[in-house]
Amino acid sequence: MTTLAEPRHAQPIQRNVVARVADRLGGGLVQVFMVLVALFWLLPTLGLLVVSMRGETDNNSSGWWTLFTKPAQLTFDNYSSLLASGFGSSFWNTVLITVPATLLVIGIAAMAAYAFAWIEFPGRDLVFLVVIALLVVPVQIALIPIAKLYGALGIFGSILGVVLFHVAFGLPFAIFLLRNFFVGIPRELLEAARMDGAPEWRIFATVVFPLAKPAIASLGIFQFLWVWNDLLVALVFADTENQPMTKALQSQMRQFGTNVDILAPGAFLSLIIPLVLFFAFQRYFVQGMLAGSVK
Amino acid sequence: MTDRLDGPQATGDGEAVAGASSGPREPLADPSSDSPQPGAAHSDSGAGAPDASDSLTVSESSTDSDSDSDSTAEPDSAAGSGEPAAGSATAAPPGAVAAEGMEGTEGAAQASPRLGPPPRLAVMFLLPAVLLLAAWVIYPVVYSIWRSLFDATGDRFVGLGNYVSIFTDSSTLTTIRNNIIWVVVAPIIVTALGLVFAVLTERIKWSTAFKLVLFMPMAVSLLAAGVIFRLVYEQDPDKGVANAIVTTVHDAFSSSAGYPGARPRENDQAPAVVQDGAVVTRQEVQAGSPVLIPLVGLTQDVVKDAAPAKAAPGGDGLSGTVWLDVVRGGGGTLNQIDPQEKGLGGITVEAVSGGAVKATTETAADGTFRFSGLPAGSYVVRLPQSNFTAPFNGLTWLGPALITPAIIGAYIWVWAGFAMVLIAAGLSAIPRDALEAARIDGATEWQVFRRITVPLLSPVLLVVFVTMIINVLKVFDLVFIIAPGSVQPQANVIALEMWRVSFGGGGNQGLGSALSIFLLVLVVPFMIFNIRRFRRDEG
């Protein structure tokens, strides 16, 4: 491995040696470059974490990196005062919005995807093309009409309204993803079950659904993250008592400078669960992302 | 599953899928899907996916489960279709196709009536989804078109008036300009960075860790990303990491002594005058007679810790003193060094002859300077302008001028990992032989990259690029969060303006509806792109 060993091989491969040294130098440069890039990508999040764990006066007087020379600055006061201020309820709202919105999308989309994949019906291809078209429809289009609709239904501001909105806008991607998975399931499995006289809903529940676990996991993590991280829908449809963390934090942005001691720990709390999920289920995350490069 | 998912755009499952969805077809068509030929370039995304996930420590089980399902189901077809990855996608089709033989499509009924579920069953399975999509997505499109033809309150029909005001109002024109900047700049940078990182991750052993780090921002909410970058872009270099880096780099390359406002007296007796922002001696000077450069225009506060000015000793070499020629409380002799007067240290001094800088030095704490080893002759002594500019304090990232580039920077931070992982998936599907063959033929790495890797990757690059464009058109959160209220008009984009005029105090839902329709129209070309890609892959 070491370059020192090279001279023994003498002349014939001289050029090779040169090339290899150049390679190794280049390789070293690549290493350094990539380390720098990785640091560059880590730095902002690290900064948020550190800022969230320093007192207000420290944050106002010096940069967060001084923590590393003065570890005494470390404190959890921001977190305890944030939780004392009622941030916990918006955390809970986020959960109440995200979990149903994710489960509903999975269930409804799986049924639809099953129909697209395994039940013949007239106009199926056309309807599926409509679903693909809906993939890229911006949510902005629905804000005003749905606000009106919710007003008429009396669910404006409620968690239910936010959940339904997320379910509807999660469906095109979910159906697209699951349908493409379902058509890959060997037809023999279904045929066998159908031959045994199993009703269609049972085939769906006992044959297709279990096989589709990886796809459902991908869909689940994606939908979860979208809803958990959403700001716009909550901004329009959730009133103050039902607001998720993103909206609660957004309302503090106006006085960013003086509210850093709330915003930094709040933002960090809001991203900790997605981050844990991300690390736990990254393979599904990647798969969903590869699948979802259309939205 | 990735493959098939991703694949739909790609060929692999295209074939797989077609069997099921678009009626009878020849079974033999399928195997082509796993052929690794570059010609079938799009298949890389499919086949590549698993690898990508693999490198993220991922794919193992996914591939497993895929191939499991295949093998239990239909061992030979699975085996036949080669790559485990594309496995279920590609493997499935033969099965599907075989079954197709039995069932047919529309003809299913006659082939085996009891196997085909009746179409009305489809209605039950589709009903919830169709209802939701119709009420929450399709109806709003229709309603918005209608609503956009009315004024703010919805009482008066204004025809296309709202659309006209989109293109005439200066604030919406700014949003359109900003969206154009976004669309032109962000997707290209994200795709290019993704490509570079994807290629370079193949050269490092810790590529999994690298991918995780770059990919992580995808899991973070854009609100949190916005808060993160508000902190990064803090103006004060002691607080914002961006300016901390910028000022450190800047100061490493140019010293800024920083005596803003210091200047010579403006009268004929003053030995120095201002010329193009720099202070120069009025007459040419020679070595041996110390040069006096008295300055004024600084408060005593600036120099309260400075050392008293001293006359430079004569002797060989050009020497002199730069000092603040003001005595606290008044008094003192003009253009002479008085005992209470302070020297100005750290000032850059140049000896100029014939218009060229012959030597450069810096004043000591007492204001004295000396050029040693300077050839004898006449010189003009010059204190360049950099001495008198304010100390560099970083860039105003969140000001009107830089706000959009700054937010695009945050956007790139969020999305580069996405592009990298997608492109890496495509990359891992490129046949190594082609690259090796080129290298053996003497191609440089750059040529391999430029002539082989990039062309083979172009389908994936296009997918990433288009996905980014769609995403960029809708950008909202980052602008809303990062741009402080006072510069939001300069940073505004269509999606944000739509929210602002409809809900954020604008109170004009007619214009808001028109803006949302405008946004929809902007994504229609990409809608068509997706549909065509899907149909091509399916068909």
Side-chain angles (χ1 to χ4, degrees):
Chain A
M1 275 307 277
T2 59
T3 34
L4 293 178
E6 304 299 357
R8 244 194 293 166
H9 301 304
Q11 308 311 33
I13 45 164
Q14 180 87 47
R15 212 177 139 262
N16 224 344
V17 172
V18 172
R20 259 201 272 174
V21 169
D23 255 19
R24 195 149 315 153
L25 274 180
L29 281 181
V30 168
Q31 297 282 344
V32 171
F33 175 74
M34 294 300 259
V35 168
L36 285 178
V37 170
L39 280 180
F40 204 76
W41 247 257
L42 274 180
L43 215 54
T45 320
L46 182 69
L48 178 75
L49 174 63
V50 174
V51 165
S52 76
M53 301 204 296
R54 295 169 84 221
E56 199 179 346
T57 42
D58 285 330
N59 276 330
N60 282 335
S61 60
S62 61
W64 54 264
W65 47 90
T66 50
L67 179 94
F68 299 111
T69 49
K70 295 177 206 152
Q73 294 175 342
L74 195 70
T75 167
F76 289 96
D77 290 354
N78 290 337
Y79 284 91
S80 50
S81 61
L82 178 76
L83 292 177
S85 74
F87 191 72
S89 73
S90 60
F91 184 94
W92 184 236
N93 286 334
T94 298
V95 174
L96 284 182
I97 291 169
T98 307
V99 172
T102 305
L103 295 180
L104 279 172
V105 158
I106 291 173
I108 295 173
M111 286 170 61
Y114 182 83
F116 281 120
W118 293 117
I119 303 178
E120 302 288 344
F121 61 91
R124 181 173 73 170
D125 293 349
L126 187 68
V127 178
F128 193 66
L129 286 186
V130 172
V131 171
I132 294 177
L134 296 183
L135 275 173
V136 297
V137 170
V139 292
Q140 273 80 7
I141 202 90
L143 297 180
I144 293 171
I146 296 301
K148 283 245 161 36
L149 181 72
Y150 283 1
L153 295 175
I155 57 172
F156 189 85
S158 70
I159 284 184
L160 176 67
V162 179
V163 168
L164 287 176
F165 193 96
H166 281 304
V167 172
F169 272 85
L171 276 177
F173 172 76
I175 295 173
F176 177 74
L177 189 148
L178 290 182
R179 179 269 188 194
N180 286 340
F181 188 90
F182 288 172
V183 292
I185 292 174
R187 186 161 271 243
E188 286 68 23
L189 286 182
L190 280 94
E191 297 300 334
R194 280 174 183 170
M195 218 110 60
D196 290 345
E200 211 66 19
W201 62 265
R202 189 186 288 164
I203 299 175
F204 170 68
T206 60
V207 179
V208 173
F209 215 79
L211 278 178
K213 270 182 198 152
I216 287 169
S218 289
L219 169 61
I221 175 109
F222 251 76
Q223 176 73 10
F224 187 95
L225 289 177
W226 277 329
V227 178
W228 186 279
N229 290 336
D230 160 77
L231 170 63
L232 178 57
V233 176
L235 207 55
V236 174
F237 294 111
D239 55 23
T240 316
E241 71 185 284
N242 294 321
Q243 66 183 8
M245 283 182 287
T246 46
K247 186 178 179 184
L249 289 173
Q250 192 278 325
S251 64
Q252 305 292 328
M253 285 300 292
R254 195 158 298 182
Q255 290 88 31
F256 185 83
T258 52
N259 284 344
V260 167
D261 52 329
I262 297 173
L263 283 165
F268 200 80
L269 274 185
S270 81
L271 64 76
I272 197 72
I273 289 195
L275 224 49
V276 167
L277 278 180
F278 167 71
F279 282 113
F281 296 103
Q282 36 140 330
R283 86 160 150 251
Y284 299 112
F285 190 80
V286 172
Q287 291 163 358
M289 199 194 64
L290 291 171
S293 55
V294 284
K295 186 163 176 174
Chain B
M1 45 162 306
T2 65
D3 20 330
R4 104 189 24 93
L5 308 174
D6 175 28
Q9 32 246 56
T11 68
D13 16 352
E15 326 265 355
V17 156
S21 70
S22 47
R25 44 199 299 289
E26 324 86 312
L28 287 185
D30 305 286
S32 64
S33 60
D34 25 308
S35 72
Q37 289 136 9
H42 19 310
S43 80
D44 6 289
S45 44
D51 287 85
S53 29
D54 213 0
S55 35
L56 272 173
T57 75
V58 167
S59 73
E60 213 62 88
S61 78
S62 73
T63 344
D64 282 356
S65 59
D66 281 359
S67 34
D68 279 355
S69 55
D70 293 340
S71 47
T72 45
E74 165 90 58
D76 25 5
S77 70
S81 64
E83 306 149 71
S88 68
T90 42
V97 171
E100 201 83 54
M102 291 201 304
E103 180 156 296
T105 20
E106 265 77 51
Q110 13 133 307
S112 46
R114 70 207 149 83
L115 287 186
R120 68 186 148 73
L121 205 63
V123 175
M124 287 173 53
F125 275 80
L126 283 173
L127 196 63
V130 168
L131 280 182
L132 277 161
L133 287 177
W136 268 263
V137 187
I138 294 173
Y139 153 73
V141 173
V142 179
Y143 181 89
S144 291
I145 293 174
W146 174 249
R147 183 68 183 80
S148 70
L149 305 176
F150 289 83
D151 68 352
T153 55
D155 302 327
R156 202 166 54 84
F157 183 79
V158 293
L160 297 179
N162 287 319
Y163 295 94
V164 171
S165 58
I166 290 178
F167 294 102
T168 50
D169 187 88
S170 70
S171 70
T172 41
L173 283 178
T174 309
T175 69
I176 293 173
R177 185 206 65 187
N178 284 337
N179 262 88
I180 292 173
I181 295 175
W182 272 90
V183 168
V184 169
V185 175
I188 286 185
I189 297 184
V190 168
T191 311
L193 276 182
L195 176 61
V196 169
F197 293 158
V199 170
L200 291 184
T201 45
E202 299 207 322
R203 307 269 205 97
I204 56 175
K205 292 209 174 70
W206 46 287
S207 62
T208 302
F210 182 85
K211 284 180 180 172
L212 274 180
V213 166
L214 256 83
F215 202 41
M216 186 196 63
M218 290 277 303
V220 170
S221 72
L222 294 173
L223 174 115
V227 173
I228 287 171
F229 275 85
R230 273 295 273 274
L231 292 169
V232 166
Y233 289 138
E234 286 257 18
Q235 172 66 60
D236 184 349
D238 287 338
K239 288 154 77 180
V241 74
N243 271 347
I245 292 174
V246 168
T247 52
T248 309
V249 172
H250 179 273
D251 292 350
F253 288 102
S254 69
S255 65
S256 54
Y259 290 107
R263 61 179 191 277
R265 282 199 177 82
E266 287 174 22
N267 59 43
D268 294 344
Q269 285 77 44
V273 293
V274 175
Q275 198 177 78
D276 298 332
V279 172
V280 297
T281 48
R282 190 184 295 272
Q283 267 102 37
E284 300 208 321
V285 294
Q286 283 82 32
S289 56
V291 185
L292 295 181
I293 304 181
L295 296 177
V296 297
L298 297 175
T299 63
Q300 290 291 341
D301 278 352
V302 177
V303 292
K304 68 176 187 294
D305 297 327
K310 277 213 293 248
D316 59 323
L318 186 56
S319 64
T321 306
V322 182
W323 84 103
L324 182 63
D325 189 24
V326 176
V327 176
R328 168 162 262 173
T333 322
L334 292 193
N335 304 333
Q336 296 298 320
I337 300 173
D338 295 303
Q340 304 96 318
E341 291 172 348
K342 300 294 184 74
L344 298 177
I347 286 187
T348 306
V349 187
E350 294 169 345
V352 180
S353 170
V357 176
K358 299 297 183 192
T360 304
T361 184
E362 201 170 88
T363 56
D366 57 9
T368 58
F369 63 89
R370 169 181 298 277
F371 297 98
S372 45
L374 199 61
S378 296
Y379 295 94
V380 168
V381 172
R382 178 165 72 183
L383 313 182
Q385 188 174 15
S386 63
N387 293 307
F388 309 110
T389 52
F392 182 65
N393 222 356
L395 300 169
T396 312
W397 297 102
L398 300 178
L402 285 180
I403 186 67
T404 296
I407 302 172
I408 290 178
Y411 181 89
I412 291 167
W413 179 79
V414 173
W415 285 98
F418 165 84
M420 175 193 67
V421 170
L422 230 70
I423 294 169
L427 200 58
S428 61
I430 288 184
R432 301 285 122 168
D433 320 6
L435 304 182
E436 277 315 309
R439 289 195 182 107
I440 288 167
D441 289 348
T444 64
E445 281 304 309
W446 171 249
Q447 284 170 325
V448 171
F449 175 76
R450 181 71 195 77
R451 298 295 163 97
I452 301 180
T453 310
V454 170
L456 285 183
L457 277 180
S458 56
V460 183
L461 294 177
L462 184 64
V463 167
V464 171
F465 187 69
V466 167
T467 308
M468 284 298 103
I469 290 181
I470 297 171
N471 194 285
V472 155
L473 284 172
K474 304 184 208 170
V475 66
F476 167 82
D477 308 45
L478 282 180
V479 180
F480 188 40
I481 297 299
I482 295 180
S486 55
V487 290
Q488 248 175 35
Q490 282 85 17
N492 210 348
V493 289
I494 298 169
L496 175 56
E497 177 70 0
M498 186 271 150
W499 177 82
R500 216 184 53 74
V501 301
S502 323
F503 301 97
N508 187 346
Q509 301 206 330
L511 181 58
S513 297
L515 280 167
S516 67
I517 293 295
F518 180 49
L519 205 54
L520 179 65
V521 168
L522 289 180
V523 300
V524 162
F526 307 102
M527 196 182 268
I528 294 168
F529 172 86
N530 276 338
I531 290 177
R532 291 179 59 168
R533 191 177 56 173
F534 179 79
R535 293 186 68 152
R536 188 192 62 219
D537 295 341
E538 291 275 294

